Amino acid sequence: MEGEMVCMLGPNGCGKSTLLRTLAGLQPPLAGEYNLARLTRQQLAQRLALVLTERVSLESVSVHDVVAMGRFPYTSFLGGLSAEDEAQIAQALQEVAMEKYRETAFNALSDGEKQRVLIAKALAQHTPIILLDEPTAHLDLPNRISVLQLLHRLAQDEHKTVLVSTHELDLALRISDRILLMSPSGIALDTADGLREKDAFREAFQMDIFHF
């Protein structure tokens, strides 16, 4: 899935957030095994970055400082930032078009701008895999489209694997490279057209989502 944005879809309660948190090492797997579980916490942080749904409120913290948190797997014991760290932070802010807000207080930003900064934090972590749990939650339609387009571009331009859990069914079908569809019968990974031909969406959502 390198260079692809994959959207994870499925009905409420099917386990999308649980799967992302398990992959990120925030909770143990209920069953089965996966290779990332064998990594140390620092090694895992150098392999994948996670952006969660929850609204973040950070008092007296600048945009630069939020993005700098993504460099923690690489900083020294004292936590100092090197020239390389600062270069990664600057590049991440530029990629999400937030460089002019570098010294702005994080809490002074709009919800859409905050989401871009959190994505920049994940980019500064410089991992080949980025996991995002409902990154468009709390955003209006223009910002939902903008964020998903940004993630798709970053996957292609930076050759990253971007896995997005979302309820934005219509946008996911249009923007993603492939869909990871969770249903009571299991998990299917295919293009939107491929899943539609198999009638997989009807099985997952127990209705015809394309004609109602």
Side-chain angles (χ1 to χ4, degrees):
M1 296 191 292
E2 180 179 322
E4 289 186 340
M5 184 177 84
V6 177
C7 284
M8 186 190 305
L9 300 175
N12 288 336
C14 69
K16 297 187 296 295
S17 296
T18 299
L19 177 58
L20 287 184
R21 290 173 177 271
T22 301
L23 292 175
L26 298 182
Q27 60 189 62
L30 298 176
E33 297 181 358
Y34 64 106
N35 291 336
L36 293 175
R38 302 170 185 170
L39 302 179
T40 66
R41 184 171 295 274
Q42 183 175 17
Q43 289 172 331
L44 184 61
Q46 293 175 356
R47 289 287 300 160
L48 64 83
L50 175 66
V51 179
L52 294 174
T53 307
E54 293 86 352
R55 283 184 170 178
V56 178
S57 180
L58 298 170
E59 297 291 341
S60 304
V61 177
S62 70
V63 166
H64 168 272
D65 291 342
V66 172
V67 179
M69 294 176 188
R71 297 302 298 165
F72 81 90
Y74 312 99
T75 54
S76 66
F77 177 75
L78 297 176
L81 296 172
S82 66
E84 172 63 20
D85 294 324
E86 291 290 358
Q88 291 286 349
I89 293 167
Q91 181 179 347
L93 285 169
Q94 183 178 11
E95 287 175 339
V96 301
M98 290 295 291
E99 63 269 30
K100 68 180 180 180
Y101 296 95
R102 175 186 172 92
E103 302 303 328
T104 302
F106 181 77
N107 276 357
L109 302 177
S110 69
D111 285 341
E113 290 167 342
K114 286 180 179 178
Q115 197 62 278
R116 284 178 173 270
V117 172
L118 294 177
I119 293 171
K121 173 178 171 288
L123 290 175
Q125 200 169 325
H126 197 55
T127 60
I129 304 170
I130 301 178
L131 310 179
L132 302 101
D133 187 15
E134 296 289 346
T136 57
H138 319 304
L139 302 184
D140 58 16
L141 179 59
N143 275 304
R144 295 203 301 269
I145 295 172
S146 177
V147 165
L148 289 179
Q149 287 178 331
L150 168 65
L151 292 171
H152 189 247
R153 177 179 62 78
L154 291 172
Q156 292 184 324
D157 294 351
E158 302 294 324
H159 304 291
K160 295 181 182 294
T161 297
V162 177
L163 179 59
V164 182
S165 168
T166 182
H167 286 97
E168 304 285 354
L169 180 62
D170 53 341
L171 295 179
L173 295 177
R174 294 185 182 187
I175 297 176
S176 65
D177 295 298
R178 286 193 286 175
I179 301 290
L180 192 155
L181 184 63
M182 301 182 69
S183 70
S185 63
I187 297 176
L189 177 63
D190 203 342
T191 63
D193 288 341
L195 291 171
R196 189 171 181 176
E197 290 175 1
K198 299 170 186 174
D199 209 21
F201 293 104
R202 183 194 298 271
E203 180 182 353
F205 294 99
Q206 298 298 300
M207 65 178 294
D208 185 354
I209 63 172
F210 299 103
H211 301 94
F212 59 90

